[in-house]
Amino acid sequence: MFRRLDRYIVPVLILAGWEAFSRSGALPAALLPAPSTVAWAWADWVFGTDGNTQTYSGNWLFDMLASLSRVLAGFAIATALAVSVGVAIGWSRTVEVILEPTLQTLRPIPPVSWIPLAIIWFGIANKPAIFLVFLGAFFPILLNTIHGVKTCDRNLIRAGAMVGGGNRQLLRFIVLPAALPSIFAGLRIGIGSAWMLTVTAEMVAVKSGLGYVLWDSYYFLRYDLVLAAMASIGLLGFLSDFGIRLVMARVLHWQRNTTIQSGES
């Protein structure tokens, strides 16, 4: 029973300490709203309970879906392209020589520095946000895919080639399964970056979504709603990562079984 509850100890302590500090008067309540105040504003944003969030009352689902659609679109494009390019670079020395210098030059450029160009290219709409999400998720997935392919056991590849496996069969049945743990690690990092970038984009280039609500609330000094938006983003990021972990557990069931058997022996 305790093992089920111990994961909640730190969040409860943080919330209790935050509540006590906010009510102590050390800072004005408007600058650091108590968790109870944030929860009240969040409830109205979600359910429209009393209209205290004004124009945002009852609109949380719309704002959440707007952000989620941008994250999923950019993340899906990044995953498809990064895994494909990563496998090609990890497998082929020729492709690595051709592509890697360019990619390694682009990688250190912060995605937020692309915002002016994204607005010029795509305007004020969903496209610049999706583009920035793509940039944020692409490189973590790419690098982890390359690592997974390059660290595949060469003895397994030689064994597959000895029994007549061609390049396509070796990639499908040996290299990709061996690289999947690294690819999923990249996906988990990428989804976190995707949420960070969509919020950044919504603050500047989009007029809807959780990031827009956060920034607009800041201008009107509604820090309770700012914190509610931050909590919403954190919760959705956690659920997104949890979803990837569920898929990973199902896809990599062989890895779990191997770990259990080795532990038993």
Side-chain angles (χ1 to χ4, degrees):
M1 180 66 177
F2 179 75
R3 291 295 297 274
R4 295 180 181 179
L5 297 177
D6 58 359
R7 69 185 63 186
Y8 303 108
I9 292 175
V10 173
V12 169
L13 289 176
I14 290 174
L15 289 174
W18 175 9
E19 184 80 27
F21 182 79
S22 296
R23 295 188 178 280
S24 69
L27 285 175
L31 296 182
L32 183 63
S36 55
T37 304
V38 174
W40 190 261
W42 199 357
D44 181 65
W45 186 15
V46 176
F47 302 110
T49 52
D50 61 3
N52 75 82
T53 57
Q54 300 175 353
T55 57
Y56 294 116
S57 181
N59 287 334
W60 182 86
L61 184 62
F62 170 79
D63 296 320
M64 182 273 292
L65 290 175
S67 295
L68 182 63
S69 65
R70 295 167 189 138
V71 169
L72 293 180
F75 183 71
I77 297 170
T79 299
L81 188 59
V83 171
S84 301
V85 175
V87 170
I89 291 175
W91 180 253
S92 171
R93 176 62 181 167
T94 302
V95 176
E96 181 180 12
V97 170
I98 294 172
L99 292 182
E100 191 170 36
T102 301
L103 293 173
Q104 291 299 341
T105 301
L106 293 173
R107 185 170 67 88
I109 301 174
V112 293
S113 66
W114 290 88
I115 289 178
L117 290 176
I119 294 175
I120 292 171
W121 293 341
F122 303 114
I124 304 295
N126 285 330
K127 290 180 180 179
I130 293 173
F131 174 70
L132 291 173
V133 169
F134 161 78
L135 288 176
F138 176 78
F139 287 105
I141 301 172
L142 174 72
L143 293 178
N144 278 272
T145 301
I146 294 172
H147 172 76
V149 173
K150 282 185 172 292
T151 56
C152 178
D153 190 342
R154 297 298 162 183
N155 290 327
L156 293 176
I157 297 175
R158 294 189 190 99
M162 287 176 63
V163 296
N167 283 341
R168 182 177 298 180
Q169 293 171 313
L170 293 175
L171 282 171
R172 179 180 177 185
F173 295 109
I174 296 178
V175 176
L176 280 178
L180 279 176
S182 292
I183 293 174
F184 273 107
L187 292 176
R188 294 185 64 186
I189 298 172
I191 194 66
S193 299
W195 276 107
M196 288 188 284
L197 266 299
T198 195
V199 171
T200 302
E202 287 171 350
M203 289 180 176
V204 180
V206 189
K207 297 299 182 183
S208 63
L210 299 174
Y212 176 74
V213 173
L214 190 157
W215 197 242
D216 193 54
S217 301
Y218 161 75
Y219 277 120
F220 289 98
L221 306 180
R222 286 298 306 268
Y223 299 123
D224 53 349
L225 198 53
V226 168
L227 290 166
M230 293 170 62
S232 300
I233 295 160
L235 177 62
L236 290 168
F238 172 81
L239 293 176
S240 301
D241 179 75
F242 181 71
I244 292 176
R245 285 190 286 131
L246 287 179
V247 175
M248 181 173 66
R250 180 174 292 273
V251 173
L252 301 182
H253 60 87
W254 51 268
Q255 189 180 48
R256 183 177 67 251
N257 295 337
T258 302
T259 302
I260 293 174
Q261 291 173 4
S262 63
E264 292 174 350
S265 60

